[in-house]
């Protein structure tokens, strides 16, 4: 189902070309203490504001205001760059290369500075970002490594295997096996420690029980291998027990964070009928009418049982709720902290094994374990102190590593910068650095992987080794010292190759001043992280996002010019409260759900200083069936075929949502059009029946 999104705006606010916002809404009254700031609604934030590791869309929006990208897109969804675009690339062209390869040429602008006004954005930063994304230990969401760049597999594997997809697959298989062994050590220890006598499959082991069990535990050979400890070395068992205890505590920390995220997601999920007016019972007494956020969270976690009206001989009517029964101590769970702690204690004590098997926490822990395993495997196979393949041959800064003096892009000749200042800028500003990326074969989607944002090397790495993590690493006996400088000709890119500690302690760690790089983003974008007092220094993470508000100030050093709006804020606002927050003046722009009720309220606001705009959104909703619960494929097909998807549209105003037949937004350039043939599910607009101009797929109407 594809839906329209309602966009509200009021007054004659001029955003300027530098404020790139995907969804805008209405403007209300003044906000105390923030009368001169533009306040924009955002849904719940996870709080991971690192350009390399942010995963939630809302967190990415927060980061995006501080960043500049290699490339952008125009109003037609085509690649855009140039002097009049907020991009690092001045010009680019894709050309056929030798031996069935494709070459991408990117001419880099001069004169871009990061928001500190001191450090320039140069080829050093571009290659630093690429080598982070392409590192074997990188576990973020960016998938640049899926592009078949010449020499990439050789660089990622070194001596592990040859430059082949098979080698990468075998490395991943081995790393995943080791990661699972590492998780299994905790699972099996919990099950042996907590097994309830006479009740197979039931467990009870407190945190202190597990901590005591770890002290007495003799690790398996698989665990020793997974953490890179030789069981024959002195104090091997002590090292393994220490690591196992760390693994346990790390899992607990991440599980609590998952529950906190679950709470944020649940509290706004059950605000409509039939939950809105459901009678809520505890110990056979009605204690409330309707789900509040605590009941919503406890329901999502499985601690609330619903009863539905049912006529004799008929299926339950799940459009109504007869009563909601609370299967937890209602009197002791009155706050968010109470609710999270209740679920945390119950699950950790009785189902910690399930956390590692089925919860998102388990997936995240295995991802981290696999990244560490790759670190162990690859470094264990290196010969000597250096890399046999110190760079990716298909990624070249032509001014540093080639004899080319100039390059022609789209018919225009650019002089390549060959000489550079110590800060990485070309000594002759009439010349430009040029990046050439060579891939095997042809890949139409590869260009989108090269549109990454450029985070500053000086901030996200540690070239001077001033952070506590860098000092600790280099002081530890047996470690290969980090050199995190960038020297392109010497194959130094500011990244510690295949090093899990670098990814976690440097890239996501704290600066020498104690600022968390996961909490305070820095870049060359239109806005700079600040605090409620709009101070010039970088804030702490707690001050950047305080009391559900994210604070920005305009970047005076932005390449396209300082934004017209000097102060901007994101305020966490639930979709159910969007319009009330707008009317009260807490926020100026909101994106409410386009329900019938909201539509009527929006119409009432028309003429009161509030204007609205609706547009089809780049997204879609779907219904999925858990294959682990319904294992038969044909049965899943039957269930889906029996659904009347038209009923889902009744929640929205007529014409504001449509059924679609492909799992992608019909707004997307990639959505298959019908070439004029009859097609059920396309947008009810003429342009949706036109050919999308892509030759990879043709809808035949059969």
């Amino acid at each position: 189902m594809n839906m329209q999104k309602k966009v509200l705006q009021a007054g004659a606010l001029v955003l300027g070309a530098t404020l790139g916002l995907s969804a805008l809404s209405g403007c209300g009254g003044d906000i105390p203490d923030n009368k001169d700031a533009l306040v924009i609604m955002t849904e719940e934030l996870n709080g991971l504001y690192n350009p390399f590791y942010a995963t939630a869309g809302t967190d990415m929006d927060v980061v995006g205001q501080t960043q500049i990208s290699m490339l952008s897109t125009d109003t037609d969804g085509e690649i855009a760059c140039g002097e009049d675009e907020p991009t690092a690339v001045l010009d680019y062209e894709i050309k056929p290369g030798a031996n069935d390869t494709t070459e991408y040429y990117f001419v880099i602008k001069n004169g871009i500075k990061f928001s500190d006004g001191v450090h320039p954005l140069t080829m050093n930063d571009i290659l630093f970002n690429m080598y982070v994304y392409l590192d074997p230990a990188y576990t973020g969401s960016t998938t640049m490594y899926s592009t078949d760049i010449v020499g990439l597999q050789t660089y990622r594997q070194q001596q592990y295997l040859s430059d082949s997809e098979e080698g990468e697959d075998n490395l991943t298989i081995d790393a995943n096996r080791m990661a699972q062994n590492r998780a299994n050590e905790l699972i099996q220890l919990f099950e042996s420690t907590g097994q309830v006598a006479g009740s197979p499959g039931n467990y009870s082991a407190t945190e202190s029980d597990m901590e005591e069990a770890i002290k007495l535990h003799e690790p398996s050979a698989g665990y020793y291998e997974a953490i890179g400890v030789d069981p024959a070395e002195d104090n091997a068992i002590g090292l393994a027990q220490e690591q196992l205890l760390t693994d346990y505590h790390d899992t607990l920390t991440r599980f609590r964070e998952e529950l906190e995220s679950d709470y944020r997601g649940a509290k706004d999920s059950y605000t409509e009928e039939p939950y809105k007016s459901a009678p809520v019972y505890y110990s056979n007494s009605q204690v409330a009418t309707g789900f509040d956020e605590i009941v919503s969270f406890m329901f999502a976690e499985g601690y609330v049982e619903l009863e539905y009206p049912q006529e004799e001989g008929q299926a339950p009517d799940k459009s109504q709720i007869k009563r909601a029964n609370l299967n937890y101590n209602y009197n002791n769970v009155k706050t968010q902290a109470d609710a999270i702690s209740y679920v945390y204690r119950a699950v950790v004590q009785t189902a910690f094994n399930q956390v590692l098997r089925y919860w998102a926490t388990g997936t995240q822990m295995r991802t981290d374990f696999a990244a560490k395993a790759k670190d162990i495997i690859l470094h264990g196979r290196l010969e000597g102190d250096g890399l046999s393949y110190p760079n990716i041959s298909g990624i070249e800064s032509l001014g540093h590593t080639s004899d080319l003096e100039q390059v022609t892009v789209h018919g225009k000749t650019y002089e390549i910068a060959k000489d550079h200042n110590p800060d990485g800028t070309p000594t002759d500003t009439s010349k430009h650095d040029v990046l050439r990326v060579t891939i095997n074969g042809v890949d139409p989607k590869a260009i989108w992987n090269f549109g990454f944002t450029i985070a500053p090397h000086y901030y996200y790495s540690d070239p001077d080794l001033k952070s506590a993590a860098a000092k600790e690493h280099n002081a530890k006996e047996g470690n290969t010292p980090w050199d995190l400088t960038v020297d392109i000709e010497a194959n130094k890119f500011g990244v510690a190759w295949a090093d899990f500690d670098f990814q976690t302690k440097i890239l996501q760690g704290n600066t020498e001043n104690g600022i968390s790089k996961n909490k305070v983003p820095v870049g060359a974008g239109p806005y700079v992280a600040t605090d409620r007092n709009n101070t010039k220094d970088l804030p702490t993470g707690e001050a950047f996002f305080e009391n559900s508000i994210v604070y920005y100030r305009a970047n005076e050093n932005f390449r396209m010019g300082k934004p017209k709006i000097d102060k901007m804020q994101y305020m966490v606002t639930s979709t159910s409260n969007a319009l009330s927050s707008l009317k009260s003046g807490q926020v100026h722009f909101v994106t409410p759900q386009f329900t019938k009720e909201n539509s009527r309220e929006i119409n009432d606001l028309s003429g009161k200083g509030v204007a609205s705009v609706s547009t089809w959104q780049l997204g879609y909703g779907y219904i999925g069936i858990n294959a682990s619960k319904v294992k038969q494929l044909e049965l899943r097909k039957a269930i889906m075929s029996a659904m009347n998807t038209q009923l889902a549209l009744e929640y929205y105003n007529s014409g504001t949502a449509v059924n679609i037949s492909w799992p992608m937004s019909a707004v997307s350039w990639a959505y298959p059009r019908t070439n004029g043939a009859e097609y059920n599910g396309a947008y009810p607009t003429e342009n949706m029946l036109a050919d999308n101009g892509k030759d990879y797929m043709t809808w035949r109407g059969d």
Side-chain angles (χ1 to χ4, degrees):
M1 180 174 67
N2 223 110
M3 298 170 288
Q4 280 189 320
K5 175 171 282 189
K6 199 64 178 179
V7 175
L8 303 179
Q9 71 178 60
L13 289 175
V14 180
L15 302 183
T18 60
L19 182 58
L21 302 174
S22 59
L24 305 178
S25 280
C27 184
D30 291 334
I31 300 177
D33 301 326
N34 292 289
K35 295 181 179 181
D36 56 346
L38 171 66
V39 185
I40 301 166
M41 164 191 168
T42 180
E43 295 184 53
E44 288 291 343
L45 299 168
N46 284 350
L48 183 54
Y49 312 130
N50 186 301
F52 297 106
Y53 278 92
T55 54
T58 49
D59 286 4
M60 290 179 179
D61 289 341
V62 169
V63 174
Q65 294 295 348
T66 67
Q67 302 295 305
I68 191 171
S69 299
M70 287 282 283
L71 302 167
S72 184
T73 54
D74 60 22
T75 55
D76 295 322
E78 301 295 333
I79 295 292
C81 63
E83 284 292 355
D84 297 329
E85 297 287 344
T87 62
V89 172
L90 179 64
D91 205 354
Y92 89 100
E93 187 173 4
I94 305 172
K95 302 180 180 182
N99 301 319
D100 192 28
T101 61
T102 304
E103 296 176 342
Y104 295 75
Y105 290 84
F106 302 95
V107 181
I108 308 304
K109 292 178 184 176
N110 294 323
I112 300 177
K113 286 189 175 182
F114 289 107
S115 57
D116 67 344
V118 176
H119 292 86
L121 187 158
T122 71
M123 183 64 77
N124 291 352
D125 301 286
I126 293 171
L127 292 188
F128 162 69
N129 279 253
M130 296 187 78
Y131 274 83
V132 168
Y133 289 129
L134 298 173
D135 190 82
Y138 173 71
T139 60
S141 60
T142 300
T143 58
M144 189 187 298
Y145 56 81
S146 66
T147 304
D148 190 8
I149 301 172
V150 171
L152 175 58
Q153 299 304 333
T154 300
Y155 175 78
R156 285 170 65 88
Q157 298 162 30
Q158 297 295 319
Q159 279 91 359
Y160 191 73
L161 274 179
S162 61
D163 187 4
S164 68
E165 290 185 6
E166 180 183 358
E168 180 74 9
D169 289 344
N170 288 336
L171 172 61
T172 300
I173 289 170
D174 281 351
N176 287 342
R177 173 185 56 78
M178 292 166 64
Q180 189 60 59
N181 286 342
R182 190 163 169 177
N184 286 344
E185 198 80 6
L186 281 173
I187 291 171
Q188 292 164 7
L189 181 59
F190 172 80
E191 292 178 348
S192 63
T193 302
Q195 176 64 60
V196 177
S199 183
N202 291 322
Y203 307 96
S204 179
T206 64
E207 291 183 42
S208 59
D209 290 338
M210 283 292 290
E211 290 167 351
E212 288 302 314
I214 289 171
K215 293 178 183 178
L216 302 174
H217 179 64
E218 185 171 335
S220 67
Y223 189 74
Y224 278 120
E225 179 196 23
I227 64 173
V229 171
D230 183 350
E233 71 178 81
D234 292 341
N235 195 33
I237 189 169
L239 293 172
Q241 289 171 341
E242 181 181 352
Q243 184 59 61
L244 189 61
L245 184 62
T246 299
D247 289 351
Y248 180 63
H249 286 154
D250 286 349
T251 304
L252 296 181
T253 298
R254 187 158 283 172
F255 179 57
R256 184 175 285 277
E257 291 171 350
E258 181 178 356
L259 292 178
E260 291 169 351
S261 178
D262 285 353
Y263 191 97
R264 292 191 295 268
K267 72 179 184 179
D268 217 29
S269 298
Y270 304 100
T271 57
E272 304 291 338
E273 297 295 356
Y275 311 101
K276 186 176 181 180
S277 58
V280 179
Y281 281 77
Y282 175 65
S283 294
N284 263 346
S285 297
Q286 185 172 348
V287 294
T289 298
F291 282 27
D292 62 13
E293 61 182 57
I294 292 176
V295 174
S296 296
F297 168 70
M298 298 303 284
F299 172 61
E301 301 300 334
Y303 293 89
V304 179
E305 182 181 2
L306 303 183
E307 294 182 21
Y308 301 101
Q310 185 174 9
E311 299 289 339
E312 186 175 351
Q314 301 293 318
D317 179 9
K318 294 192 175 183
S319 66
Q320 304 177 60
I321 296 175
K322 182 179 179 180
R323 60 188 283 173
N325 298 309
L326 306 184
N327 295 330
Y328 61 92
N329 192 327
Y330 171 77
N331 296 316
N332 291 340
V333 180
K334 295 295 186 181
T335 67
Q336 174 179 337
D338 292 341
I340 291 172
S341 293
Y342 184 97
V343 177
Y344 173 86
R345 286 194 299 268
V347 175
V348 166
Q349 181 168 336
T350 64
F352 178 75
N353 51 345
Q354 304 303 315
V355 171
L356 280 169
R357 283 191 175 114
Y358 304 121
W359 288 70
T361 293
T363 301
Q364 293 168 344
M365 293 303 296
R366 287 191 299 274
T367 297
D368 284 354
F369 292 162
K372 183 63 175 177
K374 286 185 178 181
D375 181 336
I376 293 168
I377 293 169
L378 292 169
H379 281 91
R381 296 184 177 231
L382 290 181
E383 296 177 0
D385 296 328
L387 302 179
S388 296
Y389 306 96
N391 61 40
I392 302 167
S393 58
I395 298 177
E396 304 169 89
S397 172
L398 297 184
H400 293 86
T401 59
S402 82
D403 295 329
L404 293 177
E405 298 288 341
Q406 58 187 29
V407 63
T408 300
V409 175
H410 289 140
K412 183 175 180 179
T413 299
Y414 294 91
E415 297 294 322
I416 298 174
K418 308 295 287 187
D419 299 314
H420 296 81
N421 297 310
D423 62 5
T425 56
T427 54
D428 184 345
T429 56
S430 68
K431 299 180 179 181
H432 295 270
D433 276 317
V434 178
L435 173 68
R436 179 169 66 189
V437 182
T438 306
I439 69 169
N440 291 307
V442 177
D443 183 356
K445 71 180 187 304
I447 186 62
W448 301 97
N449 277 336
F450 302 142
F452 56 92
T453 58
I454 306 165
H457 166 251
Y458 82 87
Y459 181 79
Y460 284 98
S461 189
D462 188 4
D464 298 321
L465 302 176
K466 291 183 177 180
S467 68
K471 293 176 182 177
E472 179 183 357
H473 174 89
N474 281 9
K476 188 173 182 180
E477 185 178 353
N479 280 352
T480 300
W482 281 337
D483 181 352
L484 303 181
T485 57
V486 175
D487 183 341
I488 297 172
E489 293 177 346
N491 294 312
K492 297 179 182 179
F493 305 103
V495 178
W497 177 81
D499 194 314
F500 182 75
D501 283 346
F502 169 80
Q503 296 284 331
T504 55
K505 297 179 181 179
I506 299 298
L507 204 63
Q508 300 183 75
N510 293 336
T511 67
E512 59 180 297
N513 298 317
I515 296 174
S516 169
K517 299 171 189 176
N518 278 346
K519 298 296 183 182
V520 183
V522 174
Y527 283 90
V528 184
T530 187
D531 55 25
R532 68 191 313 270
N533 297 317
N534 201 33
T535 55
K536 293 293 185 181
D537 294 332
L538 280 181
T540 63
E542 291 74 18
F544 174 53
F545 177 42
E546 182 182 10
N547 296 327
S548 298
I549 299 175
V550 177
Y551 295 93
Y552 299 98
R553 59 181 172 83
N555 180 6
E556 299 175 354
N557 300 293
F558 186 49
R559 180 66 157 70
M560 304 298 293
K562 181 181 177 181
K564 297 180 184 298
I565 296 175
D566 188 57
K567 297 179 185 178
M568 188 180 73
Q569 299 167 7
Y570 280 129
M571 177 179 284
V572 176
T573 308
S574 68
T575 54
S576 59
N577 292 329
L579 291 178
S580 59
S581 298
L582 176 71
K583 289 187 290 185
S584 69
Q586 284 186 303
V587 294
H588 301 135
F589 287 80
V590 298
T591 52
Q593 290 183 332
F594 207 172
T595 63
K596 293 178 180 179
E597 183 179 342
N598 282 347
S599 181
R600 287 191 293 269
E601 190 168 357
I602 290 168
N603 287 335
D604 292 341
L605 290 172
S606 179
K608 298 180 181 179
V610 175
S612 66
V613 177
S614 61
T615 181
W616 292 105
Q617 59 179 322
L618 187 60
Y620 63 94
Y622 63 93
I623 298 172
I625 299 176
N626 190 330
S628 68
K629 305 296 184 183
V630 184
K631 300 183 184 300
Q632 297 83 3
L633 174 61
E634 297 303 321
L635 180 55
R636 296 200 299 272
K637 287 182 178 180
I639 293 172
M640 299 304 282
S641 299
M643 288 185 181
N644 181 2
T645 55
Q646 193 66 28
L647 295 176
L649 305 184
E650 295 179 0
Y651 181 68
Y652 301 92
N653 270 359
S654 176
T656 64
V658 293
N659 283 326
I660 56 177
S661 297
W662 297 87
M664 66 178 76
S665 171
V667 173
S668 170
W669 60 268
Y671 193 87
R673 307 300 197 262
T674 67
N675 295 320
E678 183 179 353
Y679 174 40
N680 295 325
Y683 277 115
T685 54
E686 187 174 324
N687 70 308
M688 298 308 294
L689 299 177
D691 185 358
N692 69 355
K694 309 298 177 184
D695 59 4
Y696 64 88
M697 185 184 293
T698 302
W699 174 256
R700 297 174 298 171
D702 58 359

